Amino acid sequence: MKTVEIFDEDNSIIIDDDYSTTDFTFYPEEKKIKVSSSVKNDCFYNNDTIEYKISADPIEIWMRTLESSHEPPLEYSIKDGVILESEIKKKNSIFPDRIENLKKEVEWSKVPLFGNYEVNLYILSKHPEIISKEDYKRFLRQSAEKIKIGVSKIEEAVKTDSHGLEIYKSEYGKNIWYINSESEKKEMDEYYDLPEKKRKDTNYAKKLEYIEKFNNSLFDEKSPKYVGIPNYEFKMSVEILEYIEKLLDKKEIVASEDSDAIKKNPWRWLGYTWTIIINLITIGVVLAIYDKVYANFEIIVVSILILIYLSLQSFSMIYGRTIWQTALGLDVEFKRIRKLLKNEPNKDEKDEMQEAKKTVNEAMIKMYINAAFLFIIYLITLLHLFGALQN
């Protein structure tokens, strides 16, 4: 069973199925993705850094690989977009077409938007400066309609076919095949029991040929019967449509979620308000102190004391921010180690981490508010200090 977990706070997606686990971490500002994947019950990891670019009209994504490696031990096949051909050829187990495949990876190539739909649709959502939220939502709606219409045309074509075809749904998606029967199974067994040279004259071989022609008539863009979608969109149509609906629902409830968060946690906003009030009172106290001192010497002493206070407050803020950044870096490394050890965090641990991040984010917002007011006090202090020094 395939599961997709989206962590917007970390700009990451984890896709887990019966065979592998793949972790995608996105860097929208750099237009890069870091991908780490491993087969189940195996500590061997494949790592890739992929660069992408987006066009809005038409909506397309292009990608190329900048770095590719596997571990343990850590070995690279691509660095800085360059294939390490000399290193690869030292390996005795190199596949004949490995270098050619890597050459394709380092070149820009257009990717099918719904070939890896979880990742590609997430990328589009992270670039409102290229594709606005309205255009993104419209694109999702249009894509869903296109797939639904295409599937409907395929169903109609299968229904009116005279060779006994039907649509099957398996773990690999939808397929068009003959109605399952005992004679069908017998023909298939006989076909695979024969030597390859003798298979082409069997009835089953003729069925295979017909299926291929039938599919080509539906999925070839040059065919007059083209249904408007490629084969892979038909195969995964159920999953793609469910995912699009999930994204559309998410986009529609963002505003209500924010309002609910305010209702559930009003103290958060009261905390910001209280921080502003405290800072306004502090500025009032500073102005009141300066209003009560007249001698230049007193003004200089008071100004120096205030500057010392501001320095201590600034150091505290910088130190707190450094600690938070260090903790984030350690968290990333611990996640990586836990992946290598096959000790993925459970839901409670993930929820706890998200709550911790929310708490720290609130503290960071208060810190920025304090920093803005400290800067105002700093300007007031310098104004009085320079005035006293000039007299």
Side-chain angles (χ1 to χ4, degrees), residues 5-135:
E5 292 186 273
I6 300 175
F7 304 96
D8 277 323
E9 295 85 355
D10 298 329
N11 281 338
S12 66
I13 295 177
I14 296 178
I15 300 178
D16 188 273
D17 57 32
D18 295 333
Y19 309 102
S20 64
T21 301
T22 307
D23 189 342
F24 299 86
T25 304
F26 300 84
Y27 300 88
E29 291 182 0
E30 301 176 42
K31 292 187 175 63
K32 291 179 182 177
I33 317 168
K34 288 191 176 179
V35 186
S36 179
S37 62
S38 69
V39 178
K40 288 292 180 66
N41 302 318
D42 192 349
C43 65
F44 190 83
Y45 269 78
N46 291 306
N47 305 299
D48 295 286
T49 300
I50 297 170
E51 185 180 18
Y52 63 85
K53 57 184 179 181
I54 303 171
S55 67
D57 188 17
I59 294 178
E60 293 177 345
I61 298 178
W62 295 72
M63 292 185 180
R64 67 177 176 182
T65 302
L66 298 180
E67 188 172 283
S68 184
S69 65
H70 58 261
E71 58 181 321
L74 181 60
E75 295 179 348
Y76 288 88
S77 56
I78 298 174
K79 268 191 173 184
D80 301 316
V82 177
I83 302 167
L84 306 183
E85 193 169 340
S86 59
E87 295 295 322
I88 296 170
K89 286 183 176 179
K90 291 178 183 178
K91 308 297 177 185
N92 295 325
S93 59
I94 182 174
F95 294 101
D97 56 351
R98 175 87 189 282
I99 301 296
E100 291 303 315
N101 289 336
L102 290 175
K103 286 180 179 178
K104 294 176 183 177
E105 289 184 25
V106 297
E107 297 295 330
W108 285 111
S109 59
K110 186 171 71 171
V111 298
L113 286 174
F114 291 99
N116 196 3
Y117 57 89
E118 301 98 341
V119 172
N120 295 336
L121 293 180
Y122 189 83
I123 289 173
L124 295 179
S125 73
K126 285 296 176 178
H127 290 280
E129 77 281 4
I130 300 175
I131 301 171
S132 68
K133 291 182 178 180
E134 292 74 17
D135 288 341

Side-chain angles (χ1 to χ4, degrees), residues 78-347:
I78 298 174
K79 268 191 173 184
D80 301 316
V82 177
I83 302 167
L84 306 183
E85 193 169 340
S86 59
E87 295 295 322
I88 296 170
K89 286 183 176 179
K90 291 178 183 178
K91 308 297 177 185
N92 295 325
S93 59
I94 182 174
F95 294 101
D97 56 351
R98 175 87 189 282
I99 301 296
E100 291 303 315
N101 289 336
L102 290 175
K103 286 180 179 178
K104 294 176 183 177
E105 289 184 25
V106 297
E107 297 295 330
W108 285 111
S109 59
K110 186 171 71 171
V111 298
L113 286 174
F114 291 99
N116 196 3
Y117 57 89
E118 301 98 341
V119 172
N120 295 336
L121 293 180
Y122 189 83
I123 289 173
L124 295 179
S125 73
K126 285 296 176 178
H127 290 280
E129 77 281 4
I130 300 175
I131 301 171
S132 68
K133 291 182 178 180
E134 292 74 17
D135 288 341
Y136 176 68
K137 193 172 179 180
R138 187 180 301 110
F139 168 74
L140 292 178
R141 295 272 185 208
Q142 289 173 340
S143 299
E145 285 304 307
K146 184 186 74 168
I147 293 172
K148 288 176 183 177
I149 292 170
V151 171
S152 177
K153 289 180 179 178
I154 294 166
E155 290 172 345
E156 184 62 28
V158 170
K159 188 188 298 183
T160 57
D161 181 75
S162 60
H163 286 70
L165 300 180
E166 66 177 4
I167 297 173
Y168 288 91
K169 179 73 169 69
S170 68
E171 59 179 317
Y172 302 106
K174 288 182 176 180
N175 288 286
I176 300 171
W177 196 245
Y178 298 93
I179 295 174
N180 192 19
S181 64
E182 286 300 320
S183 61
E184 173 69 25
K185 186 177 182 305
K186 185 179 178 181
E187 286 178 355
M188 182 177 67
D189 291 339
E190 289 175 352
Y191 174 82
Y192 286 107
D193 287 339
L194 289 171
E196 191 170 347
K197 291 181 179 180
K198 295 184 178 180
R199 289 178 182 176
K200 63 180 181 179
D201 296 324
T202 63
N203 190 48
Y204 192 76
K206 293 176 182 177
K207 288 184 174 181
L208 287 174
E209 184 180 359
Y210 178 77
I211 281 288
E212 184 179 358
K213 290 180 179 178
F214 185 83
N215 282 331
N216 287 338
S217 70
L218 298 179
F219 301 115
D220 187 347
E221 294 185 16
K222 297 178 181 179
S223 169
K225 295 182 179 179
Y226 177 55
V227 296
I229 60 173
N231 195 6
Y232 67 85
E233 288 187 15
F234 164 66
K235 282 180 175 292
M236 303 305 296
S237 57
V238 174
E239 290 79 3
I240 293 173
L241 290 172
E242 287 178 355
Y243 195 76
I244 288 176
E245 287 302 321
K246 181 180 176 181
L247 291 177
L248 286 169
D249 289 343
K250 181 182 176 183
K251 292 291 174 183
E252 289 169 354
I253 63 174
V254 165
S256 63
E257 284 179 347
D258 288 343
S259 61
D260 289 343
I262 296 172
K263 292 176 183 177
K264 291 178 182 178
N265 190 13
W267 297 109
R268 171 187 174 187
W269 303 99
L270 287 175
Y272 297 151
T273 305
W274 181 245
T275 301
I276 293 172
I277 291 172
I278 291 296
N279 278 286
L280 289 172
I281 292 172
T282 303
I283 291 176
V285 170
V286 170
L287 292 173
I289 291 172
Y290 278 119
D291 190 52
K292 295 299 180 182
V293 294
Y294 302 101
N296 290 333
F297 176 75
E298 292 176 345
I299 293 174
I300 292 171
V301 170
V302 168
S303 297
I304 291 173
L305 291 174
I306 292 175
L307 288 174
I308 292 172
Y309 165 77
L310 292 175
S311 298
L312 292 173
Q313 288 294 320
S314 299
F315 173 78
S316 175
M317 290 179 185
I318 294 170
Y319 181 74
R321 193 169 187 274
T322 302
I323 291 294
W324 170 233
Q325 289 178 332
T326 303
L328 278 179
L330 288 172
D331 178 57
V332 171
E333 288 303 312
F334 280 127
K335 281 181 179 178
R336 183 173 176 274
I337 292 170
R338 291 186 71 170
K339 285 176 185 175
L340 288 171
L341 296 174
K342 297 298 180 182
N343 182 22
E344 296 287 345
N346 56 38
K347 186 177 183 301

